[in-house]
Amino acid sequence: MDAQRALYVISVAAELAGVHPQTLRIYERKGLLAPARTRGRSRRYSEDDIALLRRIQDLTNGGVSLAGVQRILELEDELDEARTRMAALQAQLDAMREEMERRVQATHRKYKRELVPLPSSAIVRFQSGRS
């Protein structure tokens, strides 16, 4: 099931999250939650919304104010975005390393064709004419 699909009416969402429906309205007014709306403007909550409601409840039950909850959620979103960017940068770095290794190997193969091995008897020690 798609976690972002809005399925639940406010009373069901409130029950699943263990809060009163009025609490959901307060969270929405404070900008902590943005449920989907039907054409008739009824709220519909998704599994993601329920998970967010539970996260908010955990924080508020731990003594965090709603303003604090909002800031924590913003920071968590920023952290998720940073992790996504880091993963993309790591993938790019890995691709660049692979390309570098491929080019180094190609260069080494080229050297192997250009170098001609000499037998040790072909090596002559140079001696200057001076004594």
Side-chain angles (χ1 to χ4, degrees), residues 7-128:
L7 301 172
Y8 306 109
V9 295
I10 192 167
S11 59
V12 173
E15 186 175 330
L16 289 171
V19 296
H20 191 277
Q22 187 61 33
T23 304
L24 301 183
R25 293 181 187 97
I26 291 168
Y27 290 170
E28 186 178 358
R29 275 196 303 275
K30 298 282 186 180
L32 297 173
L33 185 64
R37 296 282 184 150
T38 65
R39 287 186 183 181
R41 303 290 297 149
S42 296
R43 294 170 177 87
R44 293 291 186 267
Y45 296 86
S46 67
E47 290 293 331
D48 285 350
D49 291 330
I50 303 301
L52 177 59
L53 285 168
R54 289 179 178 143
R55 177 72 176 127
I56 293 168
Q57 282 305 107
D58 287 344
L59 292 169
T60 56
N61 289 341
V64 179
S65 69
L66 290 182
V69 168
Q70 187 168 23
R71 185 64 183 136
I72 288 169
L73 295 176
E74 288 168 358
L75 291 171
E76 288 175 345
D77 285 345
E78 287 177 24
L79 184 57
D80 287 343
E81 290 171 11
R83 285 182 178 139
T84 301
R85 284 192 309 269
M86 290 267 305
L89 288 172
Q90 185 63 50
Q92 186 179 8
L93 180 60
D94 291 344
M96 293 172 96
R97 282 186 177 135
E98 288 174 15
E99 175 65 12
M100 179 192 68
E101 184 62 29
R102 187 188 64 74
R103 288 181 182 197
V104 166
Q105 292 300 323
T107 301
H108 286 304
R109 283 191 300 276
K110 181 180 171 188
Y111 289 158
K112 288 178 183 175
R113 284 192 306 250
E114 293 175 356
L115 296 176
V116 178
L118 294 175
S120 59
S121 61
I123 300 174
V124 178
R125 186 171 175 213
F126 177 77
Q127 296 179 355
S128 71

